[in-house]
Amino acid sequence: MSDTTGALQTVDGHLLPARGRWTLDRGHAEVAFIGRHFMLTRVRGRFLDVDAAIDVGTTPAETAVAATIAMRSVASGDEARDEHLRSADFFDVEHHPYARFRSTEIEWEGTGGRLHGLLTIKDVERPVVLEVEYLGHVEDPWGGDRAVFSAHGKLNREDWGLTWNMVLESGGIVVSKEIDLEIHAEFVRDA
């Protein structure tokens, strides 16, 4: 792959997004979480209203990532479950409308690495680590430059005070404590 647009920079022999601000294309992004119901069934939800930006530095270590998630935008495919997630049992969107993420360190090798950051949910800030992969650059039909990334990680929801649950007669619980995170996103280079 070569760069004819100036939208890329070579870092340690790999073409990566060029320095500057890259803003999330909200229409081409998914911020999803997966939990287990009755400890068996995978249930997937996502947030439909997310703002994010990457301020790319000369090296990945000099790069910063920030995101804001409107918690009311949770969508899991079941309105009753979504209302429960919005309630004080979980996200308490009336009192805590947004979650926030900001990077603290990036470990990078080639086209992937680890993104360390602080995630704030319900005014509780805890560290998280995401495994990130840079999937490539595309010049879109409108002359814009896009950088495409995916990321995944795990967290224990109880670390953020999301402790609602029910114990089953069989000894299990209704909702898993461990949650998988999956992010797929296009970022557009700011002019």
mmCIF file of all heavy atoms in Angstrom, residues 2-49:
data_model
loop_
_atom_site.group_PDB
_atom_site.id
_atom_site.type_symbol
_atom_site.label_atom_id
_atom_site.label_comp_id
_atom_site.label_asym_id
_atom_site.label_seq_id
_atom_site.Cartn_x
_atom_site.Cartn_y
_atom_site.Cartn_z
ATOM 1 N N SER A 2 0.548 2.200 -0.805
ATOM 2 C CA SER A 2 1.287 3.462 -0.824
ATOM 3 C C SER A 2 0.324 4.592 -0.514
ATOM 4 O O SER A 2 -0.877 4.448 -0.625
ATOM 5 C CB SER A 2 1.950 3.675 -2.182
ATOM 6 O OG SER A 2 0.961 3.822 -3.180
ATOM 7 N N ASP A 3 0.900 5.722 -0.146
ATOM 8 C CA ASP A 3 0.085 6.871 0.232
ATOM 9 C C ASP A 3 0.233 7.953 -0.821
ATOM 10 O O ASP A 3 1.290 8.550 -0.952
ATOM 11 C CB ASP A 3 0.521 7.392 1.599
ATOM 12 C CG ASP A 3 -0.267 8.612 2.032
ATOM 13 O OD1 ASP A 3 -1.411 8.776 1.563
ATOM 14 O OD2 ASP A 3 0.256 9.404 2.822
ATOM 15 N N THR A 4 -0.832 8.190 -1.552
ATOM 16 C CA THR A 4 -0.819 9.262 -2.547
ATOM 17 C C THR A 4 -1.614 10.471 -2.069
ATOM 18 O O THR A 4 -1.662 11.487 -2.746
ATOM 19 C CB THR A 4 -1.413 8.765 -3.882
ATOM 20 O OG1 THR A 4 -2.751 8.322 -3.646
ATOM 21 C CG2 THR A 4 -0.584 7.625 -4.454
ATOM 22 N N THR A 5 -2.228 10.378 -0.883
ATOM 23 C CA THR A 5 -3.105 11.441 -0.402
ATOM 24 C C THR A 5 -2.481 12.291 0.697
ATOM 25 O O THR A 5 -3.038 13.319 1.052
ATOM 26 C CB THR A 5 -4.406 10.833 0.169
ATOM 27 O OG1 THR A 5 -4.070 10.073 1.333
ATOM 28 C CG2 THR A 5 -5.106 9.949 -0.839
ATOM 29 N N GLY A 6 -1.374 11.846 1.273
ATOM 30 C CA GLY A 6 -0.803 12.546 2.415
ATOM 31 C C GLY A 6 -1.521 12.236 3.712
ATOM 32 O O GLY A 6 -1.275 12.849 4.739
ATOM 33 N N ALA A 7 -2.427 11.255 3.678
ATOM 34 C CA ALA A 7 -3.216 10.905 4.853
ATOM 35 C C ALA A 7 -2.532 9.867 5.730
ATOM 36 O O ALA A 7 -3.062 9.501 6.770
ATOM 37 C CB ALA A 7 -4.579 10.374 4.419
ATOM 38 N N LEU A 8 -1.356 9.420 5.301
ATOM 39 C CA LEU A 8 -0.660 8.385 6.057
ATOM 40 C C LEU A 8 0.757 8.834 6.376
ATOM 41 O O LEU A 8 1.311 9.707 5.710
ATOM 42 C CB LEU A 8 -0.620 7.077 5.257
ATOM 43 C CG LEU A 8 -1.975 6.488 4.872
ATOM 44 C CD1 LEU A 8 -1.797 5.310 3.925
ATOM 45 C CD2 LEU A 8 -2.757 6.066 6.099
ATOM 46 N N GLN A 9 1.324 8.208 7.384
ATOM 47 C CA GLN A 9 2.726 8.422 7.729
ATOM 48 C C GLN A 9 3.353 7.049 7.954
ATOM 49 O O GLN A 9 2.675 6.103 8.349
ATOM 50 C CB GLN A 9 2.867 9.307 8.962
ATOM 51 C CG GLN A 9 2.275 8.717 10.233
ATOM 52 C CD GLN A 9 2.446 9.630 11.431
ATOM 53 O OE1 GLN A 9 3.399 10.390 11.514
ATOM 54 N NE2 GLN A 9 1.502 9.560 12.376
ATOM 55 N N THR A 10 4.623 6.941 7.686
ATOM 56 C CA THR A 10 5.326 5.683 7.908
ATOM 57 C C THR A 10 5.915 5.681 9.315
ATOM 58 O O THR A 10 6.646 6.599 9.695
ATOM 59 C CB THR A 10 6.450 5.493 6.874
ATOM 60 O OG1 THR A 10 5.864 5.533 5.563
ATOM 61 C CG2 THR A 10 7.153 4.164 7.072
ATOM 62 N N VAL A 11 5.554 4.666 10.082
ATOM 63 C CA VAL A 11 6.055 4.501 11.439
ATOM 64 C C VAL A 11 6.616 3.082 11.537
ATOM 65 O O VAL A 11 5.876 2.108 11.372
ATOM 66 C CB VAL A 11 4.944 4.715 12.490
ATOM 67 C CG1 VAL A 11 5.481 4.477 13.900
ATOM 68 C CG2 VAL A 11 4.334 6.097 12.370
ATOM 69 N N ASP A 12 7.926 2.988 11.760
ATOM 70 C CA ASP A 12 8.594 1.685 11.871
ATOM 71 C C ASP A 12 8.268 0.784 10.683
ATOM 72 O O ASP A 12 8.012 -0.413 10.842
ATOM 73 C CB ASP A 12 8.225 0.992 13.188
ATOM 74 C CG ASP A 12 8.728 1.752 14.403
ATOM 75 O OD1 ASP A 12 9.783 2.419 14.291
ATOM 76 O OD2 ASP A 12 8.063 1.676 15.462
ATOM 77 N N GLY A 13 8.230 1.364 9.483
ATOM 78 C CA GLY A 13 8.003 0.593 8.272
ATOM 79 C C GLY A 13 6.554 0.289 7.953
ATOM 80 O O GLY A 13 6.263 -0.418 6.991
ATOM 81 N N HIS A 14 5.606 0.823 8.745
ATOM 82 C CA HIS A 14 4.182 0.571 8.520
ATOM 83 C C HIS A 14 3.465 1.887 8.223
ATOM 84 O O HIS A 14 3.732 2.891 8.882
ATOM 85 C CB HIS A 14 3.548 -0.087 9.745
ATOM 86 C CG HIS A 14 4.125 -1.425 10.057
ATOM 87 N ND1 HIS A 14 3.707 -2.581 9.447
ATOM 88 C CD2 HIS A 14 5.121 -1.783 10.911
ATOM 89 C CE1 HIS A 14 4.405 -3.599 9.910
ATOM 90 N NE2 HIS A 14 5.274 -3.135 10.797
ATOM 91 N N LEU A 15 2.562 1.844 7.256
ATOM 92 C CA LEU A 15 1.752 3.020 6.962
ATOM 93 C C LEU A 15 0.605 3.102 7.965
ATOM 94 O O LEU A 15 -0.199 2.180 8.072
ATOM 95 C CB LEU A 15 1.202 2.960 5.539
ATOM 96 C CG LEU A 15 2.210 3.262 4.436
ATOM 97 C CD1 LEU A 15 1.592 3.024 3.064
ATOM 98 C CD2 LEU A 15 2.712 4.694 4.544
ATOM 99 N N LEU A 16 0.566 4.211 8.684
ATOM 100 C CA LEU A 16 -0.456 4.464 9.693
ATOM 101 C C LEU A 16 -1.066 5.839 9.425
ATOM 102 O O LEU A 16 -0.513 6.633 8.664
ATOM 103 C CB LEU A 16 0.167 4.421 11.086
ATOM 104 C CG LEU A 16 0.813 3.095 11.504
ATOM 105 C CD1 LEU A 16 1.500 3.245 12.858
ATOM 106 C CD2 LEU A 16 -0.213 1.983 11.544
ATOM 107 N N PRO A 17 -2.202 6.162 10.052
ATOM 108 C CA PRO A 17 -2.810 7.474 9.835
ATOM 109 C C PRO A 17 -1.834 8.619 10.137
ATOM 110 O O PRO A 17 -1.045 8.553 11.076
ATOM 111 C CB PRO A 17 -3.987 7.482 10.814
ATOM 112 C CG PRO A 17 -4.343 6.045 10.960
ATOM 113 C CD PRO A 17 -3.024 5.318 10.921
ATOM 114 N N ALA A 18 -1.916 9.657 9.332
ATOM 115 C CA ALA A 18 -1.058 10.833 9.475
ATOM 116 C C ALA A 18 -1.433 11.629 10.722
ATOM 117 O O ALA A 18 -2.549 11.523 11.243
ATOM 118 C CB ALA A 18 -1.169 11.717 8.238
ATOM 119 N N ARG A 19 -0.484 12.450 11.154
ATOM 120 C CA ARG A 19 -0.729 13.311 12.310
ATOM 121 C C ARG A 19 -1.933 14.204 12.069
ATOM 122 O O ARG A 19 -2.225 14.590 10.947
ATOM 123 C CB ARG A 19 0.492 14.186 12.573
ATOM 124 C CG ARG A 19 1.668 13.412 13.102
ATOM 125 C CD ARG A 19 2.802 14.311 13.447
ATOM 126 N NE ARG A 19 2.877 15.452 12.520
ATOM 127 C CZ ARG A 19 3.877 16.283 12.446
ATOM 128 N NH1 ARG A 19 4.903 16.156 13.243
ATOM 129 N NH2 ARG A 19 3.881 17.270 11.594
ATOM 130 N N GLY A 20 -2.604 14.511 13.177
ATOM 131 C CA GLY A 20 -3.774 15.383 13.123
ATOM 132 C C GLY A 20 -4.979 14.708 13.743
ATOM 133 O O GLY A 20 -4.896 13.620 14.294
ATOM 134 N N ARG A 21 -6.092 15.400 13.664
ATOM 135 C CA ARG A 21 -7.330 14.896 14.280
ATOM 136 C C ARG A 21 -8.123 14.077 13.274
ATOM 137 O O ARG A 21 -8.323 14.481 12.136
ATOM 138 C CB ARG A 21 -8.186 16.045 14.780
ATOM 139 C CG ARG A 21 -9.514 15.529 15.360
ATOM 140 C CD ARG A 21 -10.145 16.543 16.228
ATOM 141 N NE ARG A 21 -9.502 16.474 17.529
ATOM 142 C CZ ARG A 21 -10.172 16.529 18.679
ATOM 143 N NH1 ARG A 21 -11.462 16.672 18.695
ATOM 144 N NH2 ARG A 21 -9.534 16.464 19.822
ATOM 145 N N TRP A 22 -8.584 12.928 13.751
ATOM 146 C CA TRP A 22 -9.466 12.036 13.013
ATOM 147 C C TRP A 22 -10.731 11.879 13.858
ATOM 148 O O TRP A 22 -10.656 11.525 15.033
ATOM 149 C CB TRP A 22 -8.801 10.684 12.789
ATOM 150 C CG TRP A 22 -7.576 10.735 11.917
ATOM 151 C CD1 TRP A 22 -6.347 11.242 12.250
ATOM 152 C CD2 TRP A 22 -7.476 10.281 10.584
ATOM 153 N NE1 TRP A 22 -5.486 11.114 11.187
ATOM 154 C CE2 TRP A 22 -6.151 10.515 10.145
ATOM 155 C CE3 TRP A 22 -8.359 9.678 9.690
ATOM 156 C CZ2 TRP A 22 -5.702 10.189 8.882
ATOM 157 C CZ3 TRP A 22 -7.915 9.335 8.429
ATOM 158 C CH2 TRP A 22 -6.607 9.596 8.026
ATOM 159 N N THR A 23 -11.900 12.164 13.270
ATOM 160 C CA THR A 23 -13.161 12.176 14.002
ATOM 161 C C THR A 23 -14.019 10.981 13.603
ATOM 162 O O THR A 23 -14.095 10.628 12.416
ATOM 163 C CB THR A 23 -13.921 13.489 13.720
ATOM 164 O OG1 THR A 23 -13.074 14.584 14.091
ATOM 165 C CG2 THR A 23 -15.204 13.567 14.516
ATOM 166 N N LEU A 24 -14.677 10.383 14.569
ATOM 167 C CA LEU A 24 -15.520 9.218 14.336
ATOM 168 C C LEU A 24 -16.632 9.532 13.347
ATOM 169 O O LEU A 24 -17.322 10.537 13.464
ATOM 170 C CB LEU A 24 -16.136 8.759 15.658
ATOM 171 C CG LEU A 24 -17.033 7.520 15.586
ATOM 172 C CD1 LEU A 24 -16.202 6.285 15.294
ATOM 173 C CD2 LEU A 24 -17.802 7.363 16.895
ATOM 174 N N ASP A 25 -16.816 8.654 12.364
ATOM 175 C CA ASP A 25 -17.991 8.690 11.494
ATOM 176 C C ASP A 25 -19.063 7.878 12.213
ATOM 177 O O ASP A 25 -19.041 6.647 12.206
ATOM 178 C CB ASP A 25 -17.665 8.088 10.127
ATOM 179 C CG ASP A 25 -18.884 8.014 9.217
ATOM 180 O OD1 ASP A 25 -20.016 8.271 9.669
ATOM 181 O OD2 ASP A 25 -18.698 7.671 8.036
ATOM 182 N N ARG A 26 -19.981 8.555 12.858
ATOM 183 C CA ARG A 26 -20.976 7.896 13.699
ATOM 184 C C ARG A 26 -21.856 6.928 12.924
ATOM 185 O O ARG A 26 -22.377 5.970 13.495
ATOM 186 C CB ARG A 26 -21.818 8.950 14.399
ATOM 187 C CG ARG A 26 -20.985 9.781 15.364
ATOM 188 C CD ARG A 26 -21.703 10.986 15.869
ATOM 189 N NE ARG A 26 -22.913 10.612 16.565
ATOM 190 C CZ ARG A 26 -23.699 11.463 17.172
ATOM 191 N NH1 ARG A 26 -23.408 12.746 17.180
ATOM 192 N NH2 ARG A 26 -24.777 11.061 17.778
ATOM 193 N N GLY A 27 -22.022 7.159 11.639
ATOM 194 C CA GLY A 27 -22.843 6.267 10.823
ATOM 195 C C GLY A 27 -22.138 4.984 10.432
ATOM 196 O O GLY A 27 -22.758 4.058 9.906
ATOM 197 N N HIS A 28 -20.835 4.925 10.672
ATOM 198 C CA HIS A 28 -20.059 3.737 10.337
ATOM 199 C C HIS A 28 -19.215 3.327 11.540
ATOM 200 O O HIS A 28 -17.992 3.204 11.459
ATOM 201 C CB HIS A 28 -19.187 3.982 9.098
ATOM 202 C CG HIS A 28 -20.008 4.211 7.885
ATOM 203 N ND1 HIS A 28 -20.313 5.478 7.430
ATOM 204 C CD2 HIS A 28 -20.622 3.336 7.056
ATOM 205 C CE1 HIS A 28 -21.076 5.372 6.360
ATOM 206 N NE2 HIS A 28 -21.285 4.091 6.105
ATOM 207 N N ALA A 29 -19.911 3.150 12.643
ATOM 208 C CA ALA A 29 -19.239 2.772 13.884
ATOM 209 C C ALA A 29 -20.183 1.908 14.710
ATOM 210 O O ALA A 29 -21.400 2.087 14.679
ATOM 211 C CB ALA A 29 -18.850 4.014 14.673
ATOM 212 N N GLU A 30 -19.597 0.980 15.432
ATOM 213 C CA GLU A 30 -20.360 0.183 16.380
ATOM 214 C C GLU A 30 -19.559 0.075 17.667
ATOM 215 O O GLU A 30 -18.403 -0.355 17.659
ATOM 216 C CB GLU A 30 -20.652 -1.215 15.848
ATOM 217 C CG GLU A 30 -21.452 -2.034 16.853
ATOM 218 C CD GLU A 30 -21.752 -3.445 16.391
ATOM 219 O OE1 GLU A 30 -20.831 -4.139 15.924
ATOM 220 O OE2 GLU A 30 -22.924 -3.838 16.525
ATOM 221 N N VAL A 31 -20.190 0.494 18.757
ATOM 222 C CA VAL A 31 -19.628 0.312 20.086
ATOM 223 C C VAL A 31 -20.572 -0.662 20.776
ATOM 224 O O VAL A 31 -21.696 -0.314 21.124
ATOM 225 C CB VAL A 31 -19.531 1.648 20.853
ATOM 226 C CG1 VAL A 31 -19.064 1.411 22.274
ATOM 227 C CG2 VAL A 31 -18.603 2.601 20.119
ATOM 228 N N ALA A 32 -20.116 -1.904 20.905
ATOM 229 C CA ALA A 32 -20.994 -2.977 21.361
ATOM 230 C C ALA A 32 -20.466 -3.621 22.632
ATOM 231 O O ALA A 32 -19.275 -3.574 22.932
ATOM 232 C CB ALA A 32 -21.119 -4.033 20.267
ATOM 233 N N PHE A 33 -21.396 -4.225 23.375
ATOM 234 C CA PHE A 33 -21.047 -5.008 24.560
ATOM 235 C C PHE A 33 -21.814 -6.317 24.492
ATOM 236 O O PHE A 33 -22.916 -6.385 23.955
ATOM 237 C CB PHE A 33 -21.370 -4.241 25.847
ATOM 238 C CG PHE A 33 -22.814 -3.864 25.988
ATOM 239 C CD1 PHE A 33 -23.704 -4.688 26.650
ATOM 240 C CD2 PHE A 33 -23.287 -2.663 25.457
ATOM 241 C CE1 PHE A 33 -25.042 -4.345 26.786
ATOM 242 C CE2 PHE A 33 -24.618 -2.298 25.585
ATOM 243 C CZ PHE A 33 -25.505 -3.148 26.250
ATOM 244 N N ILE A 34 -21.206 -7.357 25.022
ATOM 245 C CA ILE A 34 -21.818 -8.678 25.010
ATOM 246 C C ILE A 34 -21.738 -9.247 26.419
ATOM 247 O O ILE A 34 -20.666 -9.316 27.024
ATOM 248 C CB ILE A 34 -21.118 -9.634 24.022
ATOM 249 C CG1 ILE A 34 -21.178 -9.073 22.596
ATOM 250 C CG2 ILE A 34 -21.766 -11.012 24.049
ATOM 251 C CD1 ILE A 34 -19.945 -8.422 22.147
ATOM 252 N N GLY A 35 -22.893 -9.619 26.941
ATOM 253 C CA GLY A 35 -22.957 -10.278 28.237
ATOM 254 C C GLY A 35 -23.637 -11.628 28.072
ATOM 255 O O GLY A 35 -24.068 -11.990 26.982
ATOM 256 N N ARG A 36 -23.720 -12.335 29.145
ATOM 257 C CA ARG A 36 -24.383 -13.642 29.120
ATOM 258 C C ARG A 36 -25.633 -13.591 29.994
ATOM 259 O O ARG A 36 -25.606 -13.080 31.116
ATOM 260 C CB ARG A 36 -23.454 -14.733 29.606
ATOM 261 C CG ARG A 36 -22.264 -14.900 28.697
ATOM 262 C CD ARG A 36 -22.078 -16.323 28.316
ATOM 263 N NE ARG A 36 -20.928 -16.466 27.433
ATOM 264 C CZ ARG A 36 -20.984 -17.098 26.287
ATOM 265 N NH1 ARG A 36 -22.116 -17.644 25.890
ATOM 266 N NH2 ARG A 36 -19.926 -17.208 25.527
ATOM 267 N N HIS A 37 -26.719 -14.132 29.464
ATOM 268 C CA HIS A 37 -27.984 -14.249 30.179
ATOM 269 C C HIS A 37 -28.084 -15.676 30.687
ATOM 270 O O HIS A 37 -27.880 -16.619 29.909
ATOM 271 C CB HIS A 37 -29.139 -13.906 29.227
ATOM 272 C CG HIS A 37 -30.456 -13.812 29.887
ATOM 273 N ND1 HIS A 37 -31.482 -14.680 29.625
ATOM 274 C CD2 HIS A 37 -30.926 -12.936 30.818
ATOM 275 C CE1 HIS A 37 -32.537 -14.348 30.337
ATOM 276 N NE2 HIS A 37 -32.222 -13.299 31.075
ATOM 277 N N PHE A 38 -28.364 -15.853 31.962
ATOM 278 C CA PHE A 38 -28.364 -17.172 32.610
ATOM 279 C C PHE A 38 -27.012 -17.865 32.459
ATOM 280 O O PHE A 38 -26.922 -19.089 32.473
ATOM 281 C CB PHE A 38 -29.481 -18.074 32.076
ATOM 282 C CG PHE A 38 -30.861 -17.547 32.315
ATOM 283 C CD1 PHE A 38 -31.782 -17.488 31.289
ATOM 284 C CD2 PHE A 38 -31.246 -17.093 33.570
ATOM 285 C CE1 PHE A 38 -33.058 -17.002 31.503
ATOM 286 C CE2 PHE A 38 -32.515 -16.599 33.791
ATOM 287 C CZ PHE A 38 -33.425 -16.551 32.750
ATOM 288 N N MET A 39 -25.965 -17.069 32.230
ATOM 289 C CA MET A 39 -24.594 -17.554 32.079
ATOM 290 C C MET A 39 -24.401 -18.413 30.826
ATOM 291 O O MET A 39 -23.373 -19.051 30.663
ATOM 292 C CB MET A 39 -24.150 -18.330 33.327
ATOM 293 C CG MET A 39 -24.263 -17.524 34.618
ATOM 294 S SD MET A 39 -23.490 -15.888 34.531
ATOM 295 C CE MET A 39 -21.801 -16.341 34.322
ATOM 296 N N LEU A 40 -25.378 -18.406 29.920
ATOM 297 C CA LEU A 40 -25.311 -19.242 28.727
ATOM 298 C C LEU A 40 -25.466 -18.446 27.435
ATOM 299 O O LEU A 40 -24.607 -18.502 26.564
ATOM 300 C CB LEU A 40 -26.391 -20.343 28.779
ATOM 301 C CG LEU A 40 -26.299 -21.304 29.964
ATOM 302 C CD1 LEU A 40 -27.549 -22.154 30.056
ATOM 303 C CD2 LEU A 40 -25.061 -22.170 29.835
ATOM 304 N N THR A 41 -26.562 -17.729 27.314
ATOM 305 C CA THR A 41 -26.897 -17.042 26.075
ATOM 306 C C THR A 41 -26.140 -15.737 25.951
ATOM 307 O O THR A 41 -26.164 -14.910 26.863
ATOM 308 C CB THR A 41 -28.412 -16.731 26.027
ATOM 309 O OG1 THR A 41 -29.127 -17.931 26.264
ATOM 310 C CG2 THR A 41 -28.802 -16.134 24.689
ATOM 311 N N ARG A 42 -25.465 -15.550 24.813
ATOM 312 C CA ARG A 42 -24.790 -14.275 24.552
ATOM 313 C C ARG A 42 -25.839 -13.246 24.136
ATOM 314 O O ARG A 42 -26.591 -13.469 23.198
ATOM 315 C CB ARG A 42 -23.756 -14.440 23.434
ATOM 316 C CG ARG A 42 -22.523 -15.195 23.873
ATOM 317 C CD ARG A 42 -21.584 -15.481 22.721
ATOM 318 N NE ARG A 42 -21.248 -14.341 21.909
ATOM 319 C CZ ARG A 42 -20.176 -13.571 22.074
ATOM 320 N NH1 ARG A 42 -19.315 -13.821 23.023
ATOM 321 N NH2 ARG A 42 -19.953 -12.558 21.270
ATOM 322 N N VAL A 43 -25.874 -12.118 24.836
ATOM 323 C CA VAL A 43 -26.792 -11.026 24.516
ATOM 324 C C VAL A 43 -25.946 -9.816 24.155
ATOM 325 O O VAL A 43 -25.074 -9.400 24.914
ATOM 326 C CB VAL A 43 -27.723 -10.708 25.700
ATOM 327 C CG1 VAL A 43 -28.592 -9.498 25.382
ATOM 328 C CG2 VAL A 43 -28.575 -11.919 26.046
ATOM 329 N N ARG A 44 -26.226 -9.258 22.977
ATOM 330 C CA ARG A 44 -25.435 -8.160 22.439
ATOM 331 C C ARG A 44 -26.231 -6.857 22.513
ATOM 332 O O ARG A 44 -27.406 -6.821 22.198
ATOM 333 C CB ARG A 44 -25.091 -8.472 20.984
ATOM 334 C CG ARG A 44 -24.202 -7.477 20.315
ATOM 335 C CD ARG A 44 -23.941 -7.940 18.850
ATOM 336 N NE ARG A 44 -22.880 -7.203 18.260
ATOM 337 C CZ ARG A 44 -21.600 -7.480 18.354
ATOM 338 N NH1 ARG A 44 -21.202 -8.524 19.056
ATOM 339 N NH2 ARG A 44 -20.687 -6.741 17.779
ATOM 340 N N GLY A 45 -25.550 -5.817 22.949
ATOM 341 C CA GLY A 45 -26.131 -4.483 22.938
ATOM 342 C C GLY A 45 -25.134 -3.529 22.317
ATOM 343 O O GLY A 45 -23.961 -3.873 22.121
ATOM 344 N N ARG A 46 -25.612 -2.347 21.997
ATOM 345 C CA ARG A 46 -24.708 -1.347 21.437
ATOM 346 C C ARG A 46 -25.217 0.044 21.805
ATOM 347 O O ARG A 46 -26.348 0.205 22.252
ATOM 348 C CB ARG A 46 -24.566 -1.499 19.930
ATOM 349 C CG ARG A 46 -25.872 -1.489 19.208
ATOM 350 C CD ARG A 46 -25.722 -1.787 17.745
ATOM 351 N NE ARG A 46 -26.141 -0.608 17.007
ATOM 352 C CZ ARG A 46 -25.958 -0.413 15.732
ATOM 353 N NH1 ARG A 46 -25.332 -1.281 15.023
ATOM 354 N NH2 ARG A 46 -26.369 0.665 15.149
ATOM 355 N N PHE A 47 -24.349 1.006 21.602
ATOM 356 C CA PHE A 47 -24.703 2.390 21.845
ATOM 357 C C PHE A 47 -24.770 3.099 20.499
ATOM 358 O O PHE A 47 -23.835 3.024 19.700
ATOM 359 C CB PHE A 47 -23.680 3.059 22.771
ATOM 360 C CG PHE A 47 -23.685 2.451 24.143
ATOM 361 C CD1 PHE A 47 -22.771 1.476 24.494
ATOM 362 C CD2 PHE A 47 -24.640 2.842 25.070
ATOM 363 C CE1 PHE A 47 -22.787 0.906 25.749
ATOM 364 C CE2 PHE A 47 -24.666 2.276 26.342
ATOM 365 C CZ PHE A 47 -23.742 1.301 26.676
ATOM 366 N N LEU A 48 -25.884 3.767 20.255
ATOM 367 C CA LEU A 48 -26.131 4.387 18.955
ATOM 368 C C LEU A 48 -25.639 5.824 18.864
ATOM 369 O O LEU A 48 -25.561 6.370 17.772
ATOM 370 C CB LEU A 48 -27.631 4.333 18.641
ATOM 371 C CG LEU A 48 -28.247 2.930 18.657
ATOM 372 C CD1 LEU A 48 -29.743 3.011 18.428
ATOM 373 C CD2 LEU A 48 -27.576 2.026 17.636
ATOM 374 N N ASP A 49 -25.320 6.437 19.991
ATOM 375 C CA ASP A 49 -24.900 7.841 20.014
ATOM 376 C C ASP A 49 -23.533 7.937 20.686
ATOM 377 O O ASP A 49 -23.428 7.963 21.911
ATOM 378 C CB ASP A 49 -25.934 8.680 20.760
ATOM 379 C CG ASP A 49 -25.660 10.172 20.692
ATOM 380 O OD1 ASP A 49 -24.621 10.579 20.120
ATOM 381 O OD2 ASP A 49 -26.479 10.939 21.236
#
